[in-house]
Amino acid sequence: MQAWSRPFWLTSPDGGGYDARHTKPPADLAIVAIIPARFGSTRLPGKPLADIHGKTLIERVWERTCAATLPGRVLVATDDDRIAAAVRRFGGEVVLTSSAHATGTDRLAEAARSIDADIVVNVQGDEALLDPAGIDAAVRPLLADPQLPMATLSLPLTDLEEMLSPSVVKVVCNAAGDALYFSRSPIPYVRAAGDLRKAAAAALARGLARRHVGLYAFRREALLRFAALPPAPLEQAEGLEQLRALHHGMRIRVVETEGTASVAVDTAEDLERVRALVAPRPRA
């Protein structure tokens, strides 16, 4: 299971510090978590309905999301009647969306247009081991800074092969904690180290490497603006949607958390790993 560092500090707008654990939303602020889910996954078709010890994948993600303390409402956004029916059976709320969306963010934006929400959290529908504290951690910067459009999370990178892997997205930030760049390449590059592998190892040794966690909290108007913007060249080159936001001048606060990455269900092998991790333990 992904572990998060619950105690963390933010800087208040007046420059003072306070413990973000005690940052609470105003009573009239609507915070909604939305889980986009589609049936037609390329590598694992129908994965939201995959059985994991008596519960579907989407039900397990929904349960973990409901355990977060800040969202007042949790929705599943899908274009598939089979997923919608499954969500209703376990008591979840579902929003039916178009089947034409290219990305989960587009699906999220359509769902957000039809509901009352001030802050919208995008929860990946394949994260059966999601730690609910991560949802709260992503929301808190938006509560602390009314001008902040969106926030996400990062974890420390310590493994060299992960640092070099294009499937692991890296992020570097400025002094305020806002993202400077996201990349599939190993960033930052420590020039004095020599070749790419040594440079990556040096970045790890200095504690400079951070792994991006693909969970986002948006102010609703920022989400709708983001979804309406044209794709950016760097976004298309790297295959990373968040670069569209940076290209168009939108700030992304990156909350540093601790622990290791959870297992997302992308393939049949991932599904078996998750089943093994959540398998009931035999009684002694």
Side-chain angles (χ1 to χ4, degrees):
M1 176 177 289
Q2 188 161 349
W4 307 94
S5 173
R6 291 174 185 267
F8 64 94
W9 286 79
L10 297 173
T11 301
S12 62
D14 61 3
Y18 59 91
D19 190 340
R21 288 173 294 179
H22 304 302
T23 304
K24 296 187 181 298
D28 60 347
L29 192 65
I31 303 173
V32 181
I34 301 179
I35 309 167
R38 65 188 183 96
F39 193 90
S41 170
T42 302
R43 289 184 285 182
L44 189 61
K47 72 178 180 180
L49 302 183
D51 179 78
I52 303 174
H53 301 292
K55 295 181 180 180
T56 60
L57 171 60
I58 191 62
E59 181 175 2
R60 289 189 175 273
V61 177
W62 178 82
E63 287 179 340
R64 302 300 291 169
T65 305
C66 288
T69 61
L70 292 178
R73 188 179 179 189
V74 177
L75 307 174
V76 175
T78 186
D79 62 349
D80 190 274
D81 289 334
R82 291 163 291 187
I83 295 174
V87 172
R88 294 186 183 110
R89 279 195 296 271
F90 63 69
E93 186 178 0
V94 66
V95 175
L96 285 170
T97 59
S98 169
S99 60
H101 294 309
T103 69
T105 305
D106 293 332
R107 192 176 312 284
L108 186 82
E110 181 188 346
R113 289 188 191 98
S114 66
I115 62 173
D116 177 26
D118 297 293
I119 293 174
V120 179
V121 185
N122 185 358
V123 178
Q124 300 296 321
D126 53 13
E127 292 282 353
L129 304 180
L130 170 74
D131 189 326
I135 295 173
D136 293 336
V139 170
R140 286 189 181 109
L142 275 67
L143 302 180
D145 181 355
Q147 302 305 313
L148 187 68
M150 58 190 292
T152 188
L153 308 174
S154 73
L155 288 165
L157 256 178
T158 57
D159 182 83
L160 180 57
E161 297 309 318
E162 288 189 349
M163 180 67 164
L164 293 167
S165 172
S167 65
V168 175
V169 178
K170 278 71 65 173
V171 59
V172 290
C173 299
N174 64 17
D178 293 337
L180 290 170
Y181 194 63
F182 298 85
S183 184
R184 298 184 182 279
S185 295
I187 55 173
Y189 183 95
V190 180
R191 182 180 178 186
D195 63 28
L196 183 63
R197 192 174 188 86
K198 290 179 181 178
L204 294 176
R206 295 186 187 186
L208 299 174
R210 303 289 303 185
R211 174 183 185 139
H212 178 229
V213 178
L215 184 152
Y216 296 92
F218 294 89
R219 223 165 285 283
R220 182 177 180 272
E221 59 270 23
L223 169 62
L224 299 183
R225 180 194 171 207
F226 176 84
L229 289 169
L234 288 172
E235 170 193 358
Q236 294 173 319
E238 295 248 19
L240 298 174
E241 269 189 297
Q242 60 269 40
L243 292 177
R244 184 190 319 172
L246 296 186
H247 177 84
H248 291 281
M250 296 177 69
R251 285 192 297 147
I252 306 176
R253 179 64 46 78
V254 182
V255 179
E256 292 190 354
T257 60
E258 299 300 321
T260 57
S262 66
V263 180
V265 179
D266 290 321
T267 66
E269 292 75 19
D270 294 333
L271 180 60
E272 291 306 317
R273 289 176 64 194
V274 170
R275 284 172 174 160
L277 288 167
V278 302
R281 295 183 179 180
R283 295 182 179 178

